[in-house]
Amino acid sequence: MRKLELLAPAKNLACGIAAVDHGADAVYIGAVRFGARVAAGNSVDDIRQLCDYAHQFGVKVYVTVNTIIYDNELEATRQLIEQLYEARVDAILVQDMGLLKMQLPPIALHASTQTDNRTVEKVKWLRSLGFRRIVLARELSVDEITAIHQQVPDVELEVFVHGALCVSYSGQCYASQCLFGRSANRGACAQICRMKFDLLDADGNELEHQRYLLSLKDLNQYAHLEELIQAGACSFKIEGRLKDITYVKNVVAAYSQKLDAIIAKHPQEYCRASQGHCTYSFTPNLKKTFNRGFTTYFLHGRQPDIFSPDTPKAMGEYVGTVKELRRDSFNVAGTAAFANGDGLCFINRDGELEGFRVNRAEGNRLFPQQMPKNLRPGLALYRNNDMEFERQLARQSSVRKIPMTFSLKETENGFSLSALDVTVDVACEHQMAEKSPRENIYRQLSKLGGTPYECSRVELADDFNWFIPSSLLADMRRQWVEKINSIKSNPSIIRVNANIDSHAVAPLYDYPYLYNISNQQAQQFYGVKSLTAYELKPANGPLMQCRHCLRYALGYCVKNGGRKPQWKEPLSLRLGDGRTFRLEFDCKHCLMNVWER
């Protein structure tokens, strides 16, 4: 039976606990340093607390150590990994191959998506190095994932299913470093892809003016989880280590329910990778949390609507159209219910996203704090902040419990209480009960409040009729809880170091800097003569490698039935400050490369 893992992001300890409570099978979180989101660092002590909480439910904790590392940071990185191992972290995600030359503790290694995992050859190579799991590139189709699984069936495949998308293949983006000295491979991406650009032809003619031409919609594979499972993926990753706790609660709950529904259809084939079931006090709705509009990206091949050229911001859910304007209010044609404080937005006549807050809602008549000057009848309205939904999520919105059955039996010297392969024995004189003890036994053993467990039933022999004092039943219950908690706080986890195949040859890149070699240990690993990382020595080559193609997106890909372009190439992108970047269309590999001009 295949175990399926819903993998949730955690900005901090509170988000990690919320992810567990709302149905995650695993959580990934960043430590103080060396994670690919410098703004999402956490102390080892917080990570230890998360491990203690998560392991009660069999939920795993993975820590991102997935930046490239400089020589003067190697020892600090090794010490951090030692501390994470002692905190009982289940695995670390890594990018820098220099770590494989270290004397690491026996902790499982996952190859981060930052290692650019898009081909069968790359996955085979990483497996040969001892990586237990490979986080695949977001750009892969279900057919490509299937092919990788079929050819490398003995490695775990992790796929992204929800959240923000980078326009470049991860680990192969140097635009932020080039423009601002902020390295994406060091966790400090300035998000160039969310900026406005002009699109120019070779003669300087402006084809598009100040649009978000590299800004992608957000990924949403909710409706396609079963396809990804059948393709061979085992872990389904939600992007969002910078997202707040309400995002985590809503998205994790939605995908957890979807996974449960798929498993209910195939109970002999699949099961969840952790224990427990969740009871929610809200109805998950993916449209109600931050999103730039949704796309399935390349799941079924190239699609025309993967980018969001009008805005990189969240538009939210469609709620109706503007009907009638008054001096200080307007009404909405639609069925949505509104609340004071809702955030609404619309695209104005200039193609810009404009937002405002509702000061007072009276049915479908809304009184903004200030009437937007560009609001017009007929405009489509979107809600990007639903106050009532936020209030529901601000409270305790889920309880996770592990259902179990207690078995109470008499022993030679007393009684034994067993559940979940844990048994406690107590010495007690056998004394026949004057009336049936069953109701009191169930009542006492079911008092598991404050623990992760709930007693579904108590198994007793048909002829069980022994009197057991309530205090002794309570003591047996407490002993059982203490014993199982002790076992779960020290889980028996198989931990292995990477077992490097000395004959494995790294896949070839066209440009040396694409290997991201930033320290001497990585240099030794690859057997090269010098450090090649772009961050240390800028080189002439693509700043981005994108599967997103502007030719295709704008309807000019003749290979796919588009119009024949009338412009003269090469095309270029121009920022508002005048800096330009040349576009190269690699039709053989179906890529768009972005070069420094």
Side-chain angles (χ1 to χ4, degrees):
M1 185 174 289
R2 281 178 58 199
K3 292 183 177 180
L4 305 180
E5 176 187 275
L6 179 60
L7 177 54
K11 177 171 67 173
N12 51 35
L13 174 60
C15 285
I17 290 173
V20 175
D21 287 345
H22 288 73
D25 300 296
V27 176
Y28 66 103
I29 189 170
V32 176
R33 299 177 67 188
F34 313 124
R37 298 287 187 276
V38 292
N42 295 274
S43 69
V44 173
D45 186 59
D46 277 359
I47 292 171
R48 181 181 293 107
Q49 290 183 58
L50 178 57
C51 288
D52 290 344
Y53 187 80
H55 288 165
Q56 297 179 98
F57 299 94
V59 172
K60 294 183 177 179
V61 177
Y62 309 139
V63 176
T64 55
V65 190
N66 58 340
T67 63
I68 59 172
I69 298 162
Y70 296 153
D71 279 313
N72 62 355
E73 299 169 331
L74 288 170
E75 178 56 21
T77 307
R78 188 196 64 76
Q79 291 179 11
L80 172 64
I81 295 172
E82 287 276 3
Q83 293 169 352
L84 294 173
Y85 173 73
E86 293 170 0
R88 305 207 63 78
V89 163
D90 296 277
I92 57 172
L93 288 86
V94 302
Q95 172 187 14
D96 197 314
M97 294 300 155
L99 296 183
L100 301 187
K101 302 293 287 184
M102 286 183 179
Q103 291 290 73
L104 297 179
I107 190 168
L109 301 180
H110 294 178
S112 168
T113 191
Q114 293 293 120
T115 55
D116 184 28
N117 310 319
R118 53 176 131 161
T119 65
V120 170
E121 292 73 27
K122 187 64 173 287
V123 173
K124 283 183 176 179
W125 178 68
L126 289 166
R127 180 200 59 183
S128 74
L129 300 176
F131 284 96
R132 181 180 299 178
R133 176 181 294 184
I134 314 298
V135 187
L136 295 179
R138 297 168 176 86
E139 290 82 356
L140 298 190
S141 69
V142 70
D143 290 339
E144 289 169 314
I145 295 168
T146 300
I148 290 172
H149 176 64
Q150 288 175 347
Q151 296 190 53
V152 201
D154 56 345
V155 70
E156 296 177 0
L157 299 180
E158 181 179 306
V159 297
F160 285 87
V161 294
H162 198 89
L165 288 166
C166 299
V167 73
S168 175
Y169 279 95
S170 293
Q172 307 290 285
C173 184
Y174 308 93
S176 178
Q177 175 67 32
C178 175
L179 266 68
F180 302 111
R182 291 174 53 180
S183 168
N185 283 317
R186 298 273 295 166
C189 180
Q191 295 192 314
I192 309 304
C193 53
R194 305 300 181 190
M195 295 181 176
K196 285 182 178 180
F197 292 94
D198 299 322
L199 180 65
L200 309 175
D201 69 8
D203 295 323
N205 297 311
E206 195 173 90
L207 307 175
E208 296 284 342
H209 177 70
Q210 289 295 285
R211 301 188 77 199
Y212 301 95
L213 297 173
L214 298 181
S215 183
L216 301 181
K217 293 181 178 180
D218 284 3
L219 186 65
N220 182 340
Q221 306 292 24
Y222 178 86
H224 304 282
L225 276 186
E226 194 162 354
E227 290 177 72
L228 290 167
I229 293 167
Q230 292 169 351
C234 68
S235 180
F236 308 93
K237 186 172 195 169
I238 298 165
E239 174 68 70
R241 278 199 298 122
L242 297 178
K243 293 293 194 295
D244 61 22
I245 196 167
T246 58
Y247 178 94
V248 171
K249 288 180 175 183
N250 184 37
V251 178
V252 170
Y255 276 88
S256 183
Q257 289 184 335
K258 185 65 173 179
L259 268 185
D260 285 344
I262 293 169
I263 290 170
K265 287 169 55 182
H266 308 280
Q268 305 306 315
E269 297 179 52
Y270 311 126
C271 65
R272 295 295 291 267
S274 63
Q275 300 171 303
H277 68 87
C278 299
T279 303
Y280 304 106
S281 61
F282 71 106
T283 301
N285 186 337
L286 294 173
K287 294 179 181 179
K288 288 185 178 292
T289 44
F290 184 98
N291 70 84
R292 301 175 177 90
F294 290 129
T295 176
T296 59
Y297 209 24
F298 292 94
L299 187 73
H300 299 122
R302 191 170 286 282
Q303 305 294 322
D305 61 346
I306 67 172
F307 77 143
S308 179
D310 292 323
T311 178
K313 298 179 181 179
M315 291 184 65
E317 60 177 335
Y318 173 76
V319 291
T321 58
V322 178
K323 189 175 180 182
E324 176 203 5
L325 294 178
R326 294 182 184 173
R327 180 182 60 82
D328 61 350
S329 66
F330 66 97
N331 60 6
V332 180
T335 59
F338 298 94
N340 299 347
D342 278 356
L344 301 180
C345 60
F346 59 94
I347 300 292
N348 63 29
R349 288 178 176 174
D350 297 324
E352 298 283 348
L353 185 72
E354 195 170 329
F356 61 94
R357 190 166 293 280
V358 175
N359 189 49
R360 187 171 84 256
E362 296 179 359
N364 69 340
R365 177 155 292 279
L366 307 181
F367 295 79
Q369 288 180 335
Q370 183 175 352
M371 282 290 287
K373 63 179 182 180
N374 292 314
L375 199 65
R376 298 288 184 273
L379 284 177
L381 274 179
Y382 300 85
R383 176 161 49 197
N384 53 15
N385 188 28
D386 186 324
M387 285 302 295
E388 178 55 35
F389 193 69
E390 292 290 320
R391 275 193 284 268
Q392 292 178 41
L393 292 177
R395 303 186 289 267
Q396 182 181 19
S397 47
S398 177
V399 176
R400 182 168 180 165
K401 292 290 184 179
I402 301 171
M404 33 75 76
T405 297
F406 273 131
S407 177
L408 182 63
K409 298 178 180 178
E410 63 180 287
T411 62
E412 185 177 347
N413 299 315
F415 299 94
S416 69
L417 182 66
S418 302
L420 302 176
D421 298 322
V422 173
T423 300
V424 295
D425 294 286
V426 295
C428 178
E429 178 184 355
H430 292 145
Q431 181 180 348
M432 294 294 291
E434 295 181 2
K435 64 177 183 178
S436 174
R438 292 172 181 266
E439 183 179 340
N440 186 56
I441 288 172
Y442 180 78
R443 182 169 57 250
Q444 296 301 325
L445 295 182
S446 297
K447 294 179 179 179
L448 290 164
T451 76
Y453 310 100
E454 63 180 8
C455 179
S456 302
R457 63 193 183 95
V458 178
E459 289 183 346
L460 298 169
D462 290 342
D463 60 352
F464 191 99
N465 194 38
W466 300 111
F467 168 74
I468 307 176
S470 295
S471 58
L472 185 59
L473 288 167
D475 188 53
M476 293 174 74
R477 184 192 68 236
R478 282 192 295 268
Q479 286 187 49
W480 180 87
V481 170
E482 290 171 2
K483 190 170 183 178
I484 196 168
N485 284 345
S486 176
I487 292 170
K488 289 199 171 187
S489 65
N490 294 284
S492 178
I493 300 171
I494 300 173
R495 300 172 185 266
V496 292
N497 261 328
N499 181 23
I500 298 176
D501 180 352
S502 58
H503 300 291
V505 178
L508 294 177
Y509 283 118
D510 293 333
Y511 301 92
Y513 67 92
L514 297 177
Y515 291 95
N516 296 318
I517 300 171
S518 60
N519 59 71
Q520 291 182 13
Q521 289 182 179
Q523 183 182 337
Q524 293 170 19
F525 174 86
Y526 284 105
V528 296
K529 295 181 178 179
S530 63
L531 306 182
T532 65
Y534 187 94
E535 288 77 3
L536 298 175
K537 188 169 127 180
N540 184 35
L543 296 177
M544 292 183 181
Q545 295 182 37
C546 311
R547 208 164 193 177
H548 167 53
C549 175
L550 284 172
R551 261 192 194 166
Y552 181 86
L554 297 173
Y556 293 99
C557 176
V558 292
K559 284 180 63 177
N560 287 281
R563 304 185 301 277
K564 184 178 180 180
Q566 302 301 309
W567 58 62
K568 182 179 177 182
E569 294 191 3
L571 302 183
S572 60
L573 294 171
R574 181 175 63 193
L575 283 169
D577 63 7
R579 284 182 284 186
T580 59
F581 305 88
R582 176 169 58 88
L583 299 181
E584 172 190 70
F585 297 98
D586 180 357
C587 296
K588 179 181 177 181
H589 299 102
C590 215
L591 293 175
M592 181 181 75
N593 295 322
V594 181
W595 290 65
E596 186 177 6
R597 192 75 172 180

